[in-house]
Amino acid sequence: MELKGYGKGNWILEYFKVILAFIAAKLFPNTSGKKIVLVGGNLGEKYEDNAAVLHRYLINHYADEMSIYWLYDPNTAYVKEQNIPNAIALGSWENYVLFFQADYSFHGHSILYDLAPFAPHFLLLNDKTVMTHVSHGIEGFKKILIQKEDLPQLERTDFFNCASQFERRIKRNEWGIPEEKLIVTGFPRFDRYPADQPAKRVKRVLVMMTWREWLLESGTKEFEQSDYYLNTYGLLQHEGIQKLLEEQDMEVTVALHPFMQRFEKHFEEISSGRIRFVAFEELSISKAIEENDMLLTDITSVSWDFLYLNKPIIFYLFDQEDWETKRGIYLDLNKDLYGYKAKTAEDVYGFLKEITGGVNFNKWYSMAPQFIDFFDQDNCKRLTDRVFGTKRTE
């Protein structure tokens, strides 16, 4: 599945640029005495998630002995706004030279989207870099869609970090990743906050639904007739829920998954009263997780963060059958959920009344160790201790 148009532009120019960068990296090797580390995530569009947290850790702990670079989409402005050091534009000449010079790299989605556009076409030229996939969320819901073009990237990646033994089993048994490539060191993004931090009272609700690949090419009319739109929009218009928000002095923040950006216009008008719609460009997911007291979602990976923090979760599974038949799910949605399960807006309303009645914590918090192995905020340390010092032998 193409999430961006990498590799679809002037391929002759890109090949020429890559070959020249490869030659330059060989003729002018790194002589600084510092190891080169590349970090990228969120398709270069945001400084969020595991990759960003790890990058900040590296800057704070390894800047004296390593040259650490963040890779970003040149069409964005966040690098300047957040003053991110050593930021390199994806697809630039410097990006490709560093790609061939790097000693280590860490990516959240894929080598193609986070480290080097056009990468699948020249991966064999890079036999030096120790590459680690840090992921962007715990695998447990949507089954991975491994395409033929993904196989070289998976094979080239040296390590796949896992949040737990639970996730390691998925990556071994479902993805087919060799045992020696799987490392369980915890997720960097969980280092941002202490575990088990429920709010004293639930007043702020984050509504975040994940993406659906079967809707990405929908036209306006088709999208507005979809279960996704009708149920999400209808939920926010539910009379009982709106009344409850007023009575309990609550605020709701609604955000779509970044892959659903093109549909944001269909939801902008819901921003009124107690409900606020936030566009992807304006949203900081890390702040949203910290600032909101509970999550209302379908099967987004953000739910793992709310479980880690012992905050209530309502899983709104109006299209459970679609997920199970069109994509496939690793968990049993009838048995393994770590929150309230709602099928209708009326179900959501009933659970919200229970939560606002005094259930400010996650009633399924005891399940957290089944999915998350570490709660000590040392995940970045464990990961870097494991990876650094490794050299490629192939």
Side-chain angles (χ1 to χ4, degrees), residues 112-123:
L112 166 65
Y113 293 119
D114 297 327
L115 296 180
F118 223 61
H121 302 283
F122 56 83
L123 272 179

Side-chain angles (χ1 to χ4, degrees), residues 187-207:
F187 266 19
R189 76 195 223 182
F190 290 155
D191 285 356
R192 293 182 297 205
Y193 26 63
D196 192 7
Q197 298 290 311
K200 293 182 179 179
R201 182 186 170 198
V202 174
K203 293 179 65 70
R204 291 166 296 188
V205 181
L206 176 64
V207 176

Side-chain angles (χ1 to χ4, degrees), residues 1-63:
M1 180 186 300
E2 286 284 349
L3 301 179
K4 286 190 173 184
Y6 292 153
K8 290 188 174 181
N10 188 331
W11 63 270
I12 296 178
L13 179 61
E14 288 298 317
Y15 265 114
F16 186 66
K17 185 196 298 185
V18 168
I19 294 299
L20 285 181
F22 173 72
I23 294 172
K26 292 295 185 181
L27 292 177
F28 306 101
N30 174 32
T31 58
S32 69
K34 289 186 173 184
K35 300 286 188 180
I36 294 176
V37 184
L38 305 183
V39 188
N42 286 92
L43 286 66
E45 296 175 346
K46 277 201 169 189
Y47 194 63
E48 291 261 4
D49 227 326
N50 287 315
V53 175
L54 177 63
H55 176 259
R56 185 57 60 185
Y57 176 86
L58 293 172
I59 292 294
N60 292 336
H61 292 83
Y62 285 93

Side-chain angles (χ1 to χ4, degrees), residues 1 3 109 135-146 166-167 170-171 174-175 189 208-214 216 228 256-260 297-304 315 317 319-320 322-333 337-338:
M1 180 186 300
L3 301 179
H109 282 80
S135 195
H136 59 285
I138 295 177
E139 300 296 337
F141 288 113
K142 300 188 293 287
K143 288 192 174 183
I144 187 174
L145 297 175
I146 299 179
F166 161 80
E167 191 182 39
I170 289 177
K171 291 180 177 178
E174 301 286 344
W175 294 22
R189 76 195 223 182
M208 181 174 285
M209 302 293 181
T210 193
W211 61 299
R212 288 149 173 79
E213 61 270 9
W214 56 87
L216 293 184
Y228 174 91
L256 301 188
H257 189 280
F259 296 166
M260 302 290 280
T297 187
D298 43 19
I299 54 174
T300 178
S301 64
V302 171
S303 63
W304 303 105
F315 292 99
L317 300 181
D319 58 351
Q320 177 178 338
D322 282 343
W323 280 116
E324 293 171 337
T325 58
K326 294 181 179 180
R327 180 66 179 264
I329 304 293
Y330 295 123
L331 288 178
D332 185 331
L333 297 179
L337 292 179
Y338 40 89

Side-chain angles (χ1 to χ4, degrees), residues 118-136:
F118 223 61
H121 302 283
F122 56 83
L123 272 179
L124 292 178
L125 295 178
N126 184 324
D127 59 0
K128 173 186 179 182
T129 309
V130 177
M131 299 183 177
T132 301
H133 179 251
V134 297
S135 195
H136 59 285

Side-chain angles (χ1 to χ4, degrees), residues 73-356:
D73 184 334
N75 296 313
T76 61
Y78 71 89
V79 163
K80 289 185 178 179
E81 294 170 354
Q82 300 181 46
N83 195 29
I84 298 172
N86 289 352
I88 304 296
L90 284 163
S92 65
W93 164 260
E94 191 171 8
N95 173 202
Y96 289 127
V97 173
L98 286 171
F99 180 77
F100 292 116
Q101 290 181 331
D103 297 279
Y104 303 99
S105 69
F106 299 88
H107 59 277
H109 282 80
S110 73
I111 299 169
L112 166 65
Y113 293 119
D114 297 327
L115 296 180
F118 223 61
H121 302 283
F122 56 83
L123 272 179
L124 292 178
L125 295 178
N126 184 324
D127 59 0
K128 173 186 179 182
T129 309
V130 177
M131 299 183 177
T132 301
H133 179 251
V134 297
S135 195
H136 59 285
I138 295 177
E139 300 296 337
F141 288 113
K142 300 188 293 287
K143 288 192 174 183
I144 187 174
L145 297 175
I146 299 179
Q147 309 293 329
K148 183 178 180 180
E149 58 268 24
D150 298 327
L151 295 176
Q153 297 185 69
L154 293 175
E155 184 176 346
R156 177 58 183 83
T157 301
D158 297 284
F159 294 115
F160 293 80
N161 186 37
C162 306
S164 59
Q165 292 296 327
F166 161 80
E167 191 182 39
R168 181 186 66 84
R169 288 190 293 271
I170 289 177
K171 291 180 177 178
R172 181 192 63 196
N173 300 336
E174 301 286 344
W175 294 22
I177 305 300
E179 188 75 39
E180 63 271 16
K181 290 190 174 188
L182 297 170
I183 55 177
V184 183
T185 63
F187 266 19
R189 76 195 223 182
F190 290 155
D191 285 356
R192 293 182 297 205
Y193 26 63
D196 192 7
Q197 298 290 311
K200 293 182 179 179
R201 182 186 170 198
V202 174
K203 293 179 65 70
R204 291 166 296 188
V205 181
L206 176 64
V207 176
M208 181 174 285
M209 302 293 181
T210 193
W211 61 299
R212 288 149 173 79
E213 61 270 9
W214 56 87
L215 291 179
L216 293 184
E217 304 301 323
S218 299
T220 297
K221 185 175 181 180
E222 183 182 0
F223 177 75
E224 290 182 344
Q225 293 175 348
S226 69
D227 285 342
Y228 174 91
Y229 176 75
L230 293 174
N231 283 278
T232 304
Y233 191 87
L235 173 73
L236 301 169
Q237 301 301 312
H238 187 279
E239 184 176 345
I241 292 176
Q242 292 196 343
K243 183 178 180 181
L244 183 65
L245 297 178
E246 289 290 341
E247 292 174 348
Q248 298 294 329
D249 190 26
M250 297 172 67
E251 298 177 356
V252 175
T253 298
V254 182
L256 301 188
H257 189 280
F259 296 166
M260 302 290 280
Q261 269 185 279
R262 61 182 289 254
F263 301 115
E264 288 183 343
K265 61 185 179 182
H266 299 276
F267 292 90
E268 291 172 350
E269 65 183 58
I270 67 172
S271 285
S272 62
R274 298 282 175 176
I275 299 175
R276 180 174 68 102
F277 178 80
V278 180
F280 170 70
E281 296 294 337
E282 305 168 11
L283 178 71
S284 167
I285 297 175
S286 58
K287 287 184 179 179
I289 292 169
E290 292 188 69
E291 294 174 355
N292 285 278
D293 307 322
M294 67 159 287
L295 174 69
L296 201 167
T297 187
D298 43 19
I299 54 174
T300 178
S301 64
V302 171
S303 63
W304 303 105
D305 297 75
F306 279 80
L307 174 65
Y308 178 87
L309 290 167
N310 193 11
K311 294 181 178 182
I313 304 168
I314 298 176
F315 292 99
Y316 186 30
L317 300 181
F318 53 84
D319 58 351
Q320 177 178 338
E321 293 76 16
D322 282 343
W323 280 116
E324 293 171 337
T325 58
K326 294 181 179 180
R327 180 66 179 264
I329 304 293
Y330 295 123
L331 288 178
D332 185 331
L333 297 179
N334 297 317
K335 299 178 181 179
D336 299 331
L337 292 179
Y338 40 89
Y340 301 93
K341 179 183 176 181
K343 296 285 284 186
T344 67
E346 196 64 27
D347 291 340
V348 173
Y349 173 51
F351 293 139
L352 279 174
K353 287 198 294 184
E354 179 177 335
I355 291 169
T356 56

